[in-house]
Amino acid sequence: MAARLITLESYNPAWPDRFSKEANWLRASLGEVVVAVHHIGSTSVPGLTAKPVIDILLEVADIAALDACADTMQALGYTPRGEYGIPGRRYFVKGDAARTHHIHAFRTGSAHITRHLAFRDYLRAHEEIAREYEALKLAAARDSGYQSVLYSALKNEFIATHERQALAQ
C-alpha cells in the first residue's frame, strides 16, 4: 500500500462552517448518542495553515451506543477504524485518498477530550506558539515528502510539549 500523501493549505475561513454543517448532521443522525461536538485540530485555529481535513471531537455518553450506529456512520460517508491506536477512542474517516473529515469519539469525561480541547484553546490564545507550530508543520511536510505517517511523527514532540503546557494552565 502506498503512503498516503498530505497537503497543507493556508487557513480557509470556510472551515468553521464545514465543521458546523457536519456537526449538525452528526447530531441529527446520532441523536441522544451525542453529548457534544467540538471542532479540533488545526482547522479550528483561526489563521493556521492546515491539512484541509476537518477534525471533529465527538463526545458520547456510551461508546457501545456509538458502535451500534455503525450503519448510520457509514451512511454519512464515514469509514470506522476502531480505536486506531488510542484505547477507548472510536476513529472515523470520511473520504479515502482525499480525506475531508476525521472523527475522534470518546466517552464524556475522557482525558483525551480534555487534552484535545486544551491544545486547541492554547493555540488559539498563544499566536506566537501557533506560528511556531505552523512553521514546524511546513518543515515537517517538506521533510517527510508529504507522507502522512512521517509528517505526523515529526510533529509529535512539539504537540506533546505544548499539550503539557496547555494542561498545566
Side-chain angles (χ1 to χ4, degrees), residues 57 86-89 106 109-118 163:
L57 176 61
I86 299 178
R89 171 173 75 167
F106 295 97
S110 169
H112 293 293
I113 294 170
T114 304
R115 74 176 177 83
H116 277 294
L117 296 177
E163 223 175 56

Side-chain angles (χ1 to χ4, degrees), residues 8-30:
L8 294 177
E9 295 181 5
S10 296
Y11 181 77
N12 183 335
W15 289 338
D17 290 336
R18 290 182 192 157
F19 161 75
S20 293
K21 184 176 182 181
E22 201 72 14
N24 289 337
W25 284 342
L26 289 165
R27 284 186 197 98
S29 300
L30 298 174

Side-chain angles (χ1 to χ4, degrees), residues 135-157:
L136 172 69
K137 288 164 42 125
L138 292 167
R142 180 193 66 234
D143 294 349
S144 70
Y146 297 89
Q147 294 181 46
S148 180
V149 172
L150 184 53
Y151 166 77
S152 294
L154 292 171
K155 300 184 311 170
N156 283 344
E157 184 178 333

